Amino acid sequence: MKSAVVVFPGSNRERDMIAALAAITGQPPAVVWHTETDLPPADLIVLPGGFSYGDYLRSGAIAARSPVIRTVKERADAGVPVLGICNGFQILCEAGLLPGALMRNASLRFVCREVHLRVDTVRSVFTRNYAAGQTIRCPVAHGDGNYRCDAETLAALQGEDRIAFRYVDAKGAATDVANPNGSVDSIAGILNPERNVLGMMPHPENLIEAIQGGIDGRGLFESVMGQPAAA
């Protein structure tokens, strides 16, 4: 599988993503600077985490106007899977590829810890290797991860089965305590209507090998590759 990672000024998780993709796909991804107006052929495009442009204005707002984003939109419209992690999720929302916005954490504090996620849909190229309702572990590291949207958008996400992941406790229950940032409906990740664009705040690329403490994040990337789930 060919993949591409888009890098912005202030990205700081691209190396983690590059290493994860290389380990899982067997070949290093193309690394694309944000000023490029084209992308190499890719079966997966990733917008990684970090603090693009120092999170000035709003997180992801400036990066969403970078030249490469027009091409990312064109590839997404053509059906290419696009994954935005953390700051990448913020950029996808600011660019209009996903609805809603990521606001300051309800605690007004940066959160860096491991959380539990419930896989709430397997009807996507990103989640098909998981079981519906499966609880997985995943790290988070963000200050602006509080997902908000209007009531109409939330109803659409719920009714169209486009909430990919929710924050839950170890038993799979969505509670205020398990929600690290105050996101509405405990949302940790959402899909676009065509189900080929995923934005999520947690970092699955940081839990793909036993040396990292587990492989719960590996299923996402293997899903995109069409590989069977790792044992």
Side-chain angles (χ1 to χ4, degrees):
M1 185 184 80
K2 295 180 179 179
S3 56
V5 177
V6 180
V7 180
F8 302 87
S11 296
N12 67 3
R13 303 301 286 268
E14 75 276 12
R15 293 191 179 187
D16 293 9
M17 183 59 69
I18 291 167
L21 290 171
I24 294 172
T25 69
Q27 58 181 321
V31 180
V32 182
W33 187 236
H34 73 115
T35 57
E36 297 293 326
T37 56
D38 196 12
L39 286 162
D43 304 301
L44 171 65
I45 299 168
V46 182
L47 308 186
F51 303 91
S52 58
Y53 290 94
D55 280 350
Y56 290 112
L57 298 183
R58 295 181 307 276
S59 298
I62 301 176
R65 276 77 184 167
S66 291
V68 75
I69 294 298
R70 176 176 294 181
T71 306
V72 172
K73 289 181 177 179
E74 291 173 353
R75 296 291 180 86
D77 289 343
V80 175
V82 175
L83 171 64
I85 300 290
C86 199
N87 188 228
F89 186 9
Q90 295 161 347
I91 294 169
L92 289 175
C93 288
E94 290 288 341
L97 274 80
L98 290 173
L102 282 304
M103 309 297 290
R104 186 64 55 86
N105 292 346
S107 66
L108 301 183
R109 296 186 178 187
F110 190 90
V111 177
C112 183
R113 61 183 174 88
E114 190 175 273
V115 300
H116 288 90
L117 305 177
R118 188 175 66 217
V119 183
D120 276 353
T121 182
V122 294
R123 293 176 50 232
S124 83
V125 69
F126 303 99
T127 57
R128 58 190 175 187
N129 267 24
Y130 293 112
Q134 180 179 349
T135 299
I136 63 173
R137 296 159 45 231
C138 204
V140 296
H142 58 255
D144 297 272
N146 185 354
Y147 180 76
R148 315 305 297 178
C149 61
D150 60 30
E152 182 179 356
T153 298
L154 181 59
L157 292 172
Q158 295 167 336
E160 296 169 13
D161 191 29
R162 288 165 48 203
I163 299 174
F165 301 102
R166 281 186 171 92
Y167 299 110
V168 295
D169 61 22
K171 296 181 179 180
T175 67
D176 290 342
V177 174
N179 188 337
N181 48 44
S183 290
V184 63
D185 201 21
S186 297
I187 288 174
I190 62 170
L191 296 158
N192 67 333
E194 293 73 27
R195 316 186 78 79
N196 68 308
V197 177
L198 169 65
M200 59 185 296
M201 288 308 297
H203 289 269
E205 74 275 17
N206 291 143
L207 207 62
I208 64 159
E209 297 181 287
I211 196 171
Q212 296 172 317
I215 60 171
D216 285 10
R218 194 178 185 96
L220 187 148
F221 300 100
E222 291 175 337
S223 290
V224 180
M225 290 179 66
Q227 288 188 352

